[in-house]
């Protein structure tokens, strides 16, 4: 966990799959505690399922989202502004968790 | 002998199934499931549905991305993977893990619940 290798992160799903799952799950659980569970669940299943984390260097990660995240949402009624706020918070949580599971925090 | 003619298709399906079982044992370990919905051998497109606990555990996004990323690398015939948790249509299925039939009650106790007086213990 501590010996993070940026080159191995290029093939992240083969080399760091458990860590990635853990980071996403931790972020999901925290969001679930804090916000509307139904919306958090929908973001997890309908938006984040097309997301991809990248390592930027210096212990920083960012998560790329699919196009038109709000348009991907179905089965949940939420204003776009609120959706954007919660999605942003969720992404922040994932990026923080990635730093944590890879030993940068 | 008659089944020999379908070996090509079955073989690819077996390999997809084995790939999932071999590389993603945690799906089943965590109470989830992965089912092949469709394989288009001409286009190399396969559709996978994750079910059970996968629908709501928070790790399915990474599981889906990992399946997509790795399957096209490890199974040459597969060009594209569609994977979802069955929630894309807006209908949650996370609580419907065990199949049931309308108007029918399923219980694991041998069907004796509600039948006559209970034996005293």
């Amino acid at each position: 966990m501590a010996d993070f290798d940026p080159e191995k992160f290029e093939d992240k799903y083969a080399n760091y799959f458990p860590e990635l799952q853990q980071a996403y799950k931790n972020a999901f659980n925290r969001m679930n505690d804090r916000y509307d569970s139904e919306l958090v669940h929908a973001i997890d299943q309908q938006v984040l399922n097309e997301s991809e984390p990248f390592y930027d260097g210096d212990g920083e990660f960012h998560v790329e989202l699919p196009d038109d995240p709000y348009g991907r949402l179905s089965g949940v009624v939420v204003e776009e502004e609120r959706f954007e706020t919660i999605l942003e918070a969720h992404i922040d949580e994932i990026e923080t968790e990635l730093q944590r599971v890879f030993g940068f925090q | 002998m008659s089944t020999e003619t379908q070996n090509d298709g079955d073989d690819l399906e077996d390999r997809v199934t084995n790939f999932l079982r071999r590389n993603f044992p945690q799906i089943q370990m965590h109470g989830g499931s992965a089912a092949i919905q469709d394989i288009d051998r001409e286009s190399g497109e396969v559709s996978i549905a994750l079910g059970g606990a996968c629908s709501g555990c928070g790790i399915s996004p990474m599981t889906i991305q990992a399946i997509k990323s790795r399957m096209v690398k490890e199974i040459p015939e597969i060009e594209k993977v569609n994977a979802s948790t069955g929630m894309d249509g807006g209908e949650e299925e996370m609580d419907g893990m065990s199949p049931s039939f309308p108007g029918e009650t399923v219980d694991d106790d041998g069907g004796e619940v509600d039948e006559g007086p209970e034996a005293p213990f």
Side-chain angles (χ1 to χ4, degrees), chain B residues 96-107:
Chain B
M97 282 183 255
S98 56
S100 61
F101 301 94
E104 192 168 324
T105 305
V106 178
D107 61 66

Side-chain angles (χ1 to χ4, degrees), chain A residues 10-14 17-18 20-22 24-25 28-29 32 38 41-46 48-53 72 74-76, chain B residues 23-24 26 30 54-70 73 83-85 87-92 94:
Chain A
E10 296 290 315
D11 196 4
K12 56 181 106 61
Y13 298 120
F17 184 46
L20 294 174
Q21 283 187 314
Q22 192 63 52
Y24 268 64
K25 185 176 183 180
F28 173 82
N29 288 343
N32 221 6
E38 193 179 4
H41 190 72
I43 287 173
D44 185 64
Q45 302 292 302
Q46 298 169 12
L48 297 179
N49 66 342
E50 292 288 344
S51 70
E52 185 168 2
R72 295 175 60 84
S74 67
V76 184
Chain B
N23 294 297
F24 300 94
Q26 57 272 74
H30 294 173
C54 289
S55 300
C57 67
I59 63 173
S60 60
M62 275 301 94
T63 306
I64 284 173
Q65 291 296 67
I67 290 172
K68 287 178 176 177
S69 166
R70 294 180 62 182
K73 288 180 188 168
S84 71
T85 55
M87 194 186 162
D88 291 347
E91 296 295 325
E92 290 196 41
M94 58 184 293

Side-chain angles (χ1 to χ4, degrees), chain A residues 6 55-61 99 104:
Chain A
Y55 181 61
D56 299 334
D58 295 328
E60 298 284 333
F61 294 85
Q99 291 182 317
F104 292 108

Side-chain angles (χ1 to χ4, degrees), chain A residues 7 10 12 15 23 26 28 39-40 43 45 48 53 57-58 63 76 78 80 84-86 88 90-91 95 101:
Chain A
E7 284 190 19
E10 296 290 315
K12 56 181 106 61
N15 296 323
N26 291 350
F28 173 82
L39 177 57
V40 171
I43 287 173
Q45 302 292 302
L48 297 179
D58 295 328
V63 173
V76 184
V78 59
E80 187 162 2
E84 294 289 350
T85 301
I86 295 178
E88 198 172 316
H90 202 141
I91 296 302
E95 289 169 355
V101 299

